[in-house]
Amino acid sequence: MTLRPFTKTTRKFVFPLIYFLAVVSFCSATVVSTEDKNVVLTGTLTLQKFQNVNGGFEAWDTAILVLDSPLDVANPVKVLHKKNIGNPSNTTPTITRSTKIQVILPTGTNEKQLKGKHIMVSGQVFFAETVHHHTPVLMDVKAVKIFK
């Protein structure tokens, strides 16, 4: 008698199910809205300098949170963008699978002490509006907690 570690049924049904569940859990994203007042996100804080419109670099560090899981952001408010004129069904901007967001930390927060730390932030997310917004989604942070 030959030992077969996995039956035909196991190979046909169980393995694909395990694979599917693994992919779904790996690819799942946190979904939030710009109307949510208290969004909680976790990730590692980095500080980056970005190039300005004149070709030089900004004099300040920008706080970027590298998220633990991707973020989908929906804006339920109808916003008519110039590129969507004539297509009213496409007036709600949505950002999907964002892995980094720029964070505006509370006044008095020492960004350099948080650099490289795994943190939890809470606040409200919004879409980039100016040339100083370096990610499609930003967060106005109300509270920061450092994970040990």
Side-chain angles (χ1 to χ4, degrees):
M1 179 172 170
T2 306
L3 289 176
R4 296 190 319 189
F6 302 110
T7 65
K8 187 176 184 180
T9 303
T10 302
R11 286 192 305 267
K12 190 173 182 180
F13 297 108
V14 176
F15 285 157
L17 178 62
I18 291 171
Y19 176 77
F20 172 76
L21 293 174
V23 168
V24 167
S25 67
F26 176 74
C27 295
S28 65
T30 303
V31 180
V32 299
S33 166
T34 55
E35 288 188 337
D36 297 338
K37 301 289 183 203
N38 193 31
V39 175
V40 177
L41 299 172
T42 60
T44 303
L45 189 78
T46 63
L47 299 178
Q48 298 180 11
K49 288 198 184 300
F50 287 91
Q51 196 167 12
N52 62 28
V53 293
N54 298 325
F57 284 88
E58 295 174 342
W60 58 88
D61 288 325
T62 302
I64 303 291
L65 185 66
V66 179
L67 300 169
D68 289 339
S69 63
L71 181 68
D72 291 350
V73 181
N75 185 359
V77 179
K78 294 286 184 180
V79 178
L80 188 60
H81 292 283
K82 204 186 296 185
K83 68 180 181 180
N84 293 333
I85 292 177
N87 185 7
S89 65
N90 192 18
T91 57
T92 304
T94 299
I95 304 293
T96 58
R97 313 295 301 161
S98 186
T99 58
K100 295 179 181 181
I101 64 166
Q102 183 176 344
V103 289
I104 296 108
L105 297 169
T107 304
T109 304
N110 188 341
E111 296 174 339
K112 296 198 185 320
Q113 285 183 337
L114 296 175
K115 181 181 178 182
K117 300 269 191 323
H118 191 240
I119 62 172
M120 178 173 66
V121 293
S122 61
Q124 187 168 8
V125 295
F126 61 96
F127 294 113
E129 297 172 355
T130 75
V131 296
H132 299 290
H133 295 164
H134 300 291
T135 58
V137 178
L138 292 84
M139 177 183 263
D140 184 13
V141 176
K142 302 298 179 206
V144 179
K145 178 183 176 188
I146 300 174
F147 287 112
K148 301 234 175 198

